[in-house]
Amino acid sequence: MFPSGATAAAPRTTTSDFNGDGYADLAVGVPDGTVGGKAKAGYVNVVLGGPKGAGAHGSFRLTQATPEVPGTPEAGDRFGASVTLVDLSGDGIAELLAGAPGEDVTDRGTDAGMVTVVGGSTDGPGPGSTTMTGPSPSAAYGKSVVAAEMTGDDNKEIVVGGTDKVAARVIKGEDSMITTVVTDHMGGRAPVLATGDFDSDGMADLAVAYWTVDAPFTQSHVRLWKWDTDQSEMANFWNTDNAGVTALAAGDFDGDGHDDLALGECREIADENIDDPCGPEELAKGGGIHTHYGSPASGSFGSRAQTLNQDTAGVPGVAENGDRFGAALAVADVNRDGRDDLISGAPGEAIGSQAGAGAAWLLRGGAQGLLDANGAATSVTWNQDTAGVPGVAEAGDAFGAAVASGDHNADGVPDVTVGSPGENASLGAAWLLPKGSAAGSAAFSPRTLGLPYLSTAHKYGKPLNSR
């Protein structure tokens, strides 16, 4: 039975099943990985789900030397800098989208960047192709990538972030076109991308966040874009300025049937004190999560907001500078109550005397959202010193640098995965928390999965993607 006010929505459909066996799989990008002696050529590890969850049923290692993948491994390509598993074709089997922002492209130049799509199948990786390349040298297309159906025609659009630009590949009927969503100074960072139905019209919208400091001026933005059918382009319909964020996540945290948007590690960059874009200033300490809530179609998105950090009642821990609470976000309805929960990583969190050991939290959704009527949260936290979690918290592990969710054992309850790219001298590893619990948790890494690895830092565990 659902609590009063919650919408009894159907469980989220698994869209990350790369090998078509009915289990959600997990994509791990390893852009710092060495391939064929080429440093930072990069690879993607698709970790298969199964009855025992992700990490216990093998994996696929995909590089630009894999026959199905276009290109050739070259030093600095950083293949796997961004990854997503999504069912583009609607056949129930996911495709892999992987960005390589360091790819040199003929007639486009050095570091133009590229995004590759690799088909999944019951027999393993299927044919791959290049879906988008950067238009000029240093465009670095593939720093970030998402995909969702935004135009109302059942075709999923692919959105790519590069240097100072976000572009979308839009398919209309038999035609495909590349359209620029936004061009602006972005401080050399990957623009943060997420999708959700923020205007409640039944189609996905695009959330974009970026910020700069003195490059050449200080600015920060979170912007929402939707497809304008009349103009055949993406149109900006909502903004919050001066908010610099590291992560975005869309989910229905109050169960009202409308998507909300969580801003992770939100802080006021421009310092103009105009609109308090991240809520009360004291809640930005150590990293704050600022959530804008959706409204009915006749209402205004984001007019209701909540802010929390480690000093909020019900959130274990203490807010300290450098914690980076909210630096990674993911969404799942772990307790199946019709209200989404938010998974948050804090890779800078100190565990005891171990600086930067890192931690992650599961913040429960409720009738009022992530906070109740008294402004308190309901949450649990994990780190490598948590009972039942394998390993030992060590300085620089960066546990929580990436987080993801997916029903990897197909039991109807989402599981949580937490990346720790600093583990084992930055070889890196990931932790599976079944049903969002430390009970039965397990770790996997290039060693346990039988992947080739050298003494170089691979930083396995960031980025992660599943759903």
Side-chain angles (χ1 to χ4, degrees):
M1 180 176 179
F2 288 85
S4 176
T7 302
R12 292 176 181 268
T13 302
T14 295
T15 60
S16 61
D17 182 6
F18 188 68
N19 64 340
D21 64 356
Y23 296 93
D25 302 319
L26 174 75
V28 183
V30 193
D32 287 333
T34 298
V35 179
K38 307 295 185 181
K40 297 186 179 181
Y43 67 90
V44 177
N45 188 213
V46 178
V47 183
L48 301 177
K52 296 181 180 179
H57 300 276
S59 68
F60 297 115
R61 180 177 181 264
L62 302 175
T63 79
Q64 289 184 295
T66 302
E68 294 83 2
V69 179
T72 301
E74 298 169 311
D77 280 349
R78 305 199 78 243
F79 181 77
S82 60
V83 292
T84 188
L85 286 170
V86 59
D87 182 6
L88 295 172
S89 60
D91 64 356
I93 299 178
E95 284 76 36
L96 169 70
L97 291 170
E103 180 78 13
D104 299 341
V105 180
T106 302
D107 299 329
R108 303 293 179 93
T110 302
D111 295 341
M114 180 172 73
V115 174
T116 298
V117 56
V118 181
S121 77
T122 55
D123 297 322
S129 62
T130 299
T131 188
M132 203 180 301
T133 56
S136 59
S138 301
Y141 270 32
K143 286 185 175 182
S144 49
V145 62
V146 295
E149 203 289 281
M150 301 182 193
T151 66
D153 63 358
D154 295 329
N155 291 312
K156 290 184 174 64
E157 281 60 56
I158 297 171
V159 183
V160 171
T163 299
D164 299 337
K165 185 178 288 188
V166 176
R169 179 176 181 178
V170 179
I171 300 173
K172 299 296 291 181
E174 299 295 324
D175 299 321
S176 174
M177 64 178 176
I178 307 297
T179 180
T180 299
V181 178
V182 59
T183 299
D184 202 350
H185 295 283
M186 298 180 182
R189 303 173 190 85
V192 183
L193 307 176
T195 59
D197 183 8
F198 304 115
D199 62 356
S200 300
D201 68 350
M203 291 186 293
D205 309 308
L206 174 69
V208 178
Y210 58 93
W211 55 276
T212 69
V213 176
D214 300 326
F217 46 82
T218 298
Q219 63 171 353
S220 45
H221 304 283
V222 178
R223 296 178 169 177
L224 301 184
W225 300 76
K226 64 182 296 181
W227 181 253
D228 185 322
T229 301
D230 293 335
Q231 299 296 320
S232 293
E233 63 183 13
M234 298 294 288
N236 176 221
F237 70 92
W238 185 90
N239 302 308
T240 178
D241 293 332
N242 303 331
V245 308
T246 306
L248 295 170
D252 183 6
F253 304 117
D254 56 5
D256 68 351
H258 302 284
D259 277 352
D260 315 312
L261 182 66
L263 283 54
E265 199 182 4
C266 192
R267 64 276 201 205
E268 190 167 337
I269 297 292
D271 196 27
E272 296 179 4
N273 296 313
I274 295 174
D275 55 2
D276 292 324
C278 297
E281 185 175 351
E282 63 271 17
L283 293 180
K285 183 177 181 180
I289 296 173
H290 188 61
T291 303
H292 289 277
Y293 287 89
S295 301
S298 59
S300 174
F301 174 82
S303 57
R304 185 173 78 88
Q306 294 178 333
T307 310
L308 60 90
N309 72 352
Q310 286 190 72
D311 286 343
T312 299
V315 180
V318 176
E320 299 168 311
N321 291 332
D323 285 346
R324 304 199 62 212
F325 182 75
L329 298 176
V331 171
D333 183 5
V334 173
N335 60 0
R336 310 308 301 156
D337 68 349
R339 294 162 176 149
D340 281 328
D341 309 311
L342 183 68
I343 305 149
S344 171
E349 175 81 357
I351 305 300
S353 62
Q354 304 301 310
W361 284 254
L362 177 67
L363 301 154
R364 304 284 189 187
Q368 303 298 318
L370 297 175
L371 301 177
D372 64 19
N374 297 315
T378 300
S379 65
V380 296
T381 186
W382 317 282
N383 60 69
Q384 287 191 67
D385 282 351
T386 300
V389 175
V392 176
E394 298 170 308
D397 280 348
F399 185 87
V403 292
S405 68
D407 186 5
H408 299 296
N409 60 358
D411 66 352
V413 182
D415 309 309
V416 173
T417 308
V418 180
S420 179
E423 178 75 9
N424 292 330
S426 293
L427 174 63
W431 273 253
L432 176 70
L433 300 160
K435 303 181 182 180
S437 170
S441 60
F444 53 92
S445 70
R447 285 195 183 107
T448 66
L449 292 169
L451 303 175
Y453 62 89
L454 305 172
S455 59
T456 54
H458 281 205
K459 299 181 182 178
Y460 186 94
K462 183 185 180 183
L464 301 173
N465 178 264
S466 184
R467 63 185 72 189

